[in-house]
Amino acid sequence: MHTTPKTDTQDVADDRRAEYGALRAEILYSDQACMIITGALLSGSVAVLTFALDKGQPVLAAFLSPVWLIGYLYMTEKRSVIETIATYMRECIETKQSGFGWETWIRERRHGRNQFRRVFPYLIETIVSFAATVLIPFFISWRSQWRMTWG
């Protein structure tokens, strides 16, 4: 089925508004997914680590590193989706229709700011994921050695 392109300016503007809104919703969903995954990984890791160490089963806690790595890869994919959508909005929608400019404004503001620099969520997720993936095995090893020495 072939559709003819819309020529009415109001229809085109309505379509762009709908697309822009849907893309903003996808960005919000992806960001929320990252926050939920991070929260679940943090709380789950503390629970598993506590349980494993209380029961003297450090091997259970060893599974946390691969879980964190998988979670980090998922968050990386979601952050990539966010960046791709924002770029599309900035370059393909905001340049063709007046009234849209959020992504352009945010990008200019981030690059032109010399005062307070905020830490981007992806950086926080990367640091926390790296720390969990790398430090949990060291902690388990240290804790196991401590129990063998003092236990």
Side-chain angles (χ1 to χ4, degrees):
M1 183 171 150
H2 180 69
T3 59
T4 58
K6 294 184 180 182
T7 55
D8 184 19
T9 345
Q10 186 59 39
D11 287 343
V12 172
D14 289 343
D15 288 350
R16 287 230 171 94
R17 273 193 287 284
E19 181 183 24
Y20 198 83
L23 292 171
R24 291 292 312 150
E26 179 63 27
I27 287 174
L28 179 62
Y29 167 77
S30 294
D31 188 52
Q32 288 173 339
C34 290
M35 289 187 289
I36 290 168
I37 292 294
T38 302
L41 285 170
L42 284 171
S43 58
S45 294
V46 169
V48 168
L49 194 58
T50 301
F51 177 79
L53 294 177
D54 281 348
K55 299 297 181 187
Q57 299 293 325
V59 174
L60 291 174
F63 290 107
L64 289 175
S65 288
V67 169
W68 268 94
L69 182 61
I70 292 166
Y72 174 71
L73 293 174
Y74 180 77
M75 288 185 287
T76 299
E77 187 270 333
K78 285 298 179 188
R79 293 294 172 197
S80 176
V81 166
I82 291 171
E83 188 60 35
T84 302
I85 291 172
T87 301
Y88 172 78
M89 292 169 69
R90 200 170 41 250
E91 294 175 2
C92 297
I93 296 176
E94 293 179 359
T95 58
K96 293 181 176 145
Q97 185 78 32
S98 64
F100 302 110
W102 175 251
E103 293 299 327
T104 302
W105 182 80
I106 286 290
R107 185 169 183 91
E108 289 170 358
R109 184 167 168 84
R110 284 182 185 153
H111 290 295
R113 189 184 312 176
N114 291 328
Q115 303 166 5
F116 176 73
R117 299 233 181 242
R118 75 179 197 124
V119 179
F120 293 103
Y122 185 65
L123 179 60
I124 295 170
E125 294 160 358
T126 299
I127 291 169
V128 170
S129 296
F130 176 78
T133 303
V134 172
L135 295 179
I136 286 174
F138 286 115
F139 178 74
I140 293 168
S141 175
W142 173 77
R143 177 78 175 170
S144 297
Q145 288 290 353
W146 181 77
R147 274 201 168 166
M148 284 190 261
T149 305
W150 297 99

